[in-house]
Amino acid sequence: MVDPKICEQLISLARETQKNAYIPYSKFAVGAALITEDGDIFTGCNVENISYGLCNCGERTAIFSMVAKKGPTARIKHIAVTTAAEIACSPCGACRQVIQEFGPNCTVTYKSEEGFIDVKISQLLPGGFSDFVDSSGKVKSIQSGQ
Ligand code: THU
């Protein structure tokens, strides 16, 4: 269930945080803000590097900041992503995988051609890489398309 007030707050915080983006190469500022299952809020922006492959997206900056502060059991309830360009822009594949890791049931808000939309991470990453060991610790097969 998406709380519209929280959603607005996350969008506003993401827009605020995108101002801190380090983007000398792409000039494309991204902000993210998330709320955890237990109500804490974290923000992030993209941080680029001259070695382009080391660029970190806004979403992952926010998530890693959450883990650094709250530890490995923290879970995302809702994450919003904004861009200074205010164009339609959904999270990249790498970020979808990381969002799934720490928020398998979470909602992702981002700008589509029709304005901001709220989408479950399971819709954004069908068939994503998932748990590959069963409860006894044995490696199991991962069904695609789930
Ligand atoms: N970027 C993000 O921050 N999040 C995404 O989901 C996609 C792309 C950043 C990475 C890079 O700094 C810039 O946008 C252009 O690709």
Side-chain angles (χ1 to χ4, degrees), residues 4-144:
K5 273 229 162 81
I6 296 280
C7 192
E8 248 178 64
Q9 188 190 0
L10 293 178
I11 290 170
S12 161
L13 284 169
R15 282 192 173 127
E16 196 56 35
T17 309
Q18 79 198 9
K19 294 178 190 158
N20 292 335
Y22 176 73
I23 47 167
Y25 310 106
S26 74
K27 319 277 190 224
F28 188 73
V30 179
L34 67 83
I35 186 161
T36 62
E37 291 283 4
D38 56 356
D40 288 329
I41 287 179
F42 293 90
T43 58
C45 58
N46 50 336
V47 181
E48 300 186 340
N49 192 275
I50 184 112
S51 176
Y52 296 170
L54 301 181
C55 293
N56 202 59
C57 294
E59 298 92 315
R60 279 178 288 149
T61 305
I63 294 166
F64 297 158
S65 167
M66 173 192 81
V67 176
K69 181 78 182 173
K70 288 180 73 76
T73 59
R75 289 294 171 269
I76 306 161
K77 181 172 187 194
H78 190 166
I79 181 166
V81 189
T82 60
T83 67
E86 289 290 350
I87 55 166
C89 180
S90 67
C92 77
C95 287
R96 292 177 193 209
Q97 187 74 44
V98 176
I99 292 169
Q100 176 196 258
E101 184 89 12
F102 292 101
N105 301 312
C106 81
T107 301
V108 185
T109 296
Y110 62 90
K111 202 168 217 178
S112 71
E113 298 292 349
E114 285 78 44
F116 280 100
I117 53 169
D118 310 312
V119 183
K120 298 301 272 184
I121 187 62
S122 53
Q123 283 176 266
L124 282 179
L125 192 67
F129 188 68
S130 62
D131 207 5
F132 56 88
V133 286
D134 64 21
S135 50
S136 71
K138 251 182 65 180
V139 174
K140 65 180 184 187
S141 70
I142 303 166
Q143 301 293 309
S144 64

